[in-house]
């Protein structure tokens, strides 16, 4: 028997919609159920990742049935495209795995939403059995029908326009964490019944933490204020002894930061002068969740959510975490 209250994510979304938007069509819950379905399919594949390798070893790239063994990020992308594509209310999808936006419907009646995703985040961690994730961001298509507007223009909206965002972390358990602009809630997949059950209601990020999370191998090429900030944290002068943790899957590193507080940074480096992470399907959804949980997300100059996007795959610096650590970082970046 599950020890969680039996509130599924579907029930939760329906109730939240009913409470906050009486008269809502149910469209949005239907859309989100496409995402939860896809992530259960992805979770099933992630859980079998090591076995697929065994099967695939017999014949390079093919499993025992002779089927082509596909990379998990391709499988994850297909699961999302398929599960969302037939929901009937998605206009455009955009993914890390597709160079251009994928148009589902140009018909105004049947295309209310724009969904952007990173189907498999932290994919290099798959080979070593470490947590990976899926990240999504949901926007509304601009309400004025305009036959001249391109699908890319539908997609390129600032993060503040997101109506919902979330992620799934395929960790020691599978968790779905989302916000629809009314706080952040977390659900754990009960594999016995295949349902996400509420396990972390109303998540708030602690106002400070004692972990910093950064790829320190790049530190020599961080701009000086970042190096000074990290030295300050290490010195104990910030009033506490910090530990460092870095998984290399944004979802997993952020999930820890959300629950335990502290700071996650991906500053500019010599190989990625604008930062490495992607604005539309990594930084924006993570920033929306962080702010909804009382945390902070900036690029060092402005709120991530206020950044006007210029292209689908653009990169940004991402500094996200607890208020205290981010306030201090701001002092250094002045
Ligand atoms: P993806 O697997 O979707 O390409 O994302 C990888 C990203 C992100 O998950 C992580 O925070 C970052 O790359 C790690 O980068 P470094 O290896 O440069 O630290
Ligand atoms: Mn990613
Ligand atoms: Mn990815």
């Amino acid at each position: 028997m599950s020890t969680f209250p039996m509130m599924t994510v579907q029930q939760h979304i329906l109730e939240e919609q009913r409470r906050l938007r009486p008269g809502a069509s149910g469209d949005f819950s239907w859309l989100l159920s496409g995402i939860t379905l896809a992530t259960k399919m992805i979770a099933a594949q992630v859980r079998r990742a090591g076995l697929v390798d065994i099967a695939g070893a017999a014949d390079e790239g093919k499993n025992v049935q002779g089927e082509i063994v596909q990379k998990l990020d391709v499988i994850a992308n297909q699961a999302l495209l398929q599960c969302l594509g037939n929901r009937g209310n998605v206009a455009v999808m955009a993914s890390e795995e597709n160079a251009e936006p994928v148009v589902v419907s140009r018909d105004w009646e049947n295309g209310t939403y724009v969904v952007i995703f990173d189907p498999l985040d932290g994919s290099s961690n798959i080979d070593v059995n470490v947590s990976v994730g899926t990240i999504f961001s949901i926007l509304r298509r601009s309400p004025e029908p305009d036959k001249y507007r391109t699908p890319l223009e539908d997609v390129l909206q600032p993060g503040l326009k997101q109506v919902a965002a979330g992620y799934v972390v395929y960790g020691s358990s599978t968790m779905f964490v989302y916000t629809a602009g009314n706080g952040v809630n977390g659900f754990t997949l009960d594999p016995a019944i295949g349902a996400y059950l509420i396990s972390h209601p109303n998540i708030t990020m602690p106002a400070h933490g004692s972990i910093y999370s950064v790829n320190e191998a790049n530190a020599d090429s961080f701009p000086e204020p970042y190096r000074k900030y990290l030295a300050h944290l290490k010195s104990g002068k910030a009033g506490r002894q910090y530990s460092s943790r870095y998984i290399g899957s944004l979802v997993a590193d952020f999930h820890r930061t959300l629950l335990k507080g502290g700071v996650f940074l991906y500053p500019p480096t010599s190989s990625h002068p604008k930062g490495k992470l992607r604005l539309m399907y990594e930084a924006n959804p993570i920033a929306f969740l962080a702010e909804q949980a009382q945390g902070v997300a900036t690029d060092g100059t402005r709120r991530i959510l206020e950044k006007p996007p210029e292209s689908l795959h653009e990169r940004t610096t991402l500094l996200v975490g607890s208020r205290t650590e981010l306030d201090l970082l701001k002092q250094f970046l002045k």
Side-chain angles (χ1 to χ4, degrees):
M1 250 324 257
S2 165
T3 50
F4 304 139
M6 295 299 278
M7 163 80 84
T8 66
V9 65
Q10 192 69 24
Q11 238 174 312
H12 187 273
I13 294 162
L14 280 168
E15 279 179 26
E16 194 181 75
Q17 292 285 299
R18 213 171 288 147
R19 196 160 45 84
L20 300 172
R21 298 181 188 81
S25 59
D27 238 34
F28 178 69
S29 347
W30 178 232
L31 172 70
L32 268 181
S33 75
I35 296 183
T36 54
L37 176 62
T39 62
K40 287 180 211 173
M41 292 163 62
I42 299 167
Q45 295 298 324
V46 166
R47 299 294 174 220
R48 297 191 72 248
L51 298 169
V52 172
D53 275 354
I54 294 171
D59 182 0
E60 198 55 38
K62 290 202 175 158
N63 65 17
V64 277
Q65 281 83 30
E67 290 160 357
I68 304 284
V69 179
Q70 281 181 309
K71 284 188 65 185
L72 258 157
D73 20 26
V74 177
I75 295 175
N77 194 39
Q78 281 169 356
L80 282 157
L81 291 173
Q82 276 162 15
C83 292
L84 287 167
N86 63 21
R87 275 310 191 243
N89 53 13
V90 177
V92 185
M93 294 182 279
S95 162
E96 181 186 22
E97 301 299 323
N98 297 94
E100 305 293 332
V102 177
V103 178
V104 184
S105 168
R106 292 311 283 160
D107 153 10
W108 180 247
E109 299 295 308
N110 294 316
T112 321
Y113 293 104
V114 175
V115 190
I116 311 173
F117 42 85
D118 178 352
L120 202 73
D121 172 64
S123 46
S124 67
N125 274 326
I126 277 281
D127 293 343
V128 289
N129 205 354
V130 169
S131 299
V132 291
T134 294
I135 317 176
F136 64 89
S137 162
I138 303 177
L139 299 151
R140 221 176 266 284
R141 209 171 150 202
S142 162
E144 294 108 53
D146 172 358
K147 63 180 173 172
Y148 299 109
R149 196 174 46 240
T150 64
L152 185 60
E153 284 165 339
D154 281 332
V155 170
L156 294 181
Q157 304 181 48
L160 274 176
K161 297 274 185 193
Q162 292 171 106
V163 293
Y167 60 80
V168 169
V169 55
Y170 311 99
S172 42
S173 60
T174 300
M175 262 192 82
F176 180 88
V177 177
Y178 93 104
T179 181
N182 181 50
V184 179
N185 288 284
F187 303 79
T188 300
L189 183 65
D190 182 338
I193 58 171
Y196 286 109
L197 302 177
I198 193 147
S199 53
H200 296 64
N202 298 318
I203 300 173
T204 52
M205 203 185 277
H208 55 69
S210 47
I211 294 174
Y212 70 85
S213 184
V214 65
N215 187 341
E216 248 179 324
N218 296 325
D220 284 357
S221 74
F222 292 164
E224 196 183 14
Y226 292 97
R227 282 184 275 134
K228 289 195 163 158
Y229 173 70
L230 291 169
H232 186 81
L233 293 187
K234 285 186 249 191
S235 72
K237 287 184 199 143
R240 57 182 62 233
Q241 194 52 54
Y242 281 87
S243 278
S244 88
R245 293 283 186 276
Y246 190 73
I247 297 168
S249 295
L250 173 64
V251 167
D253 280 313
F254 175 72
H255 186 64
R256 183 197 53 248
T257 308
L258 178 66
L259 297 182
K260 298 213 164 184
V263 54
F264 170 91
L265 315 85
Y266 210 114
T269 64
S270 46
S271 55
H272 294 105
K274 291 180 72 184
K276 181 187 172 189
L277 298 174
R278 311 294 186 146
L279 176 62
M280 300 303 287
Y281 42 81
E282 292 182 321
N284 271 343
I286 291 296
F288 191 18
L289 288 158
E291 289 198 4
Q292 283 291 316
Q294 326 289 315
V296 178
T298 93
D299 69 354
T301 316
R302 66 206 297 190
R303 271 167 92 197
I304 292 287
L305 295 182
E306 287 175 358
K307 282 173 80 96
E310 281 159 18
S311 66
L312 172 54
H313 299 286
E314 81 181 75
R315 297 174 193 269
T316 177
T317 292
L318 176 63
L319 318 170
V320 59
S322 298
R323 204 154 278 286
T324 308
E325 277 74 20
L326 269 289
D327 281 348
L328 181 64
L329 177 51
K330 205 169 161 191
Q331 301 297 315
F332 279 82
L333 292 173
K334 249 182 204 158

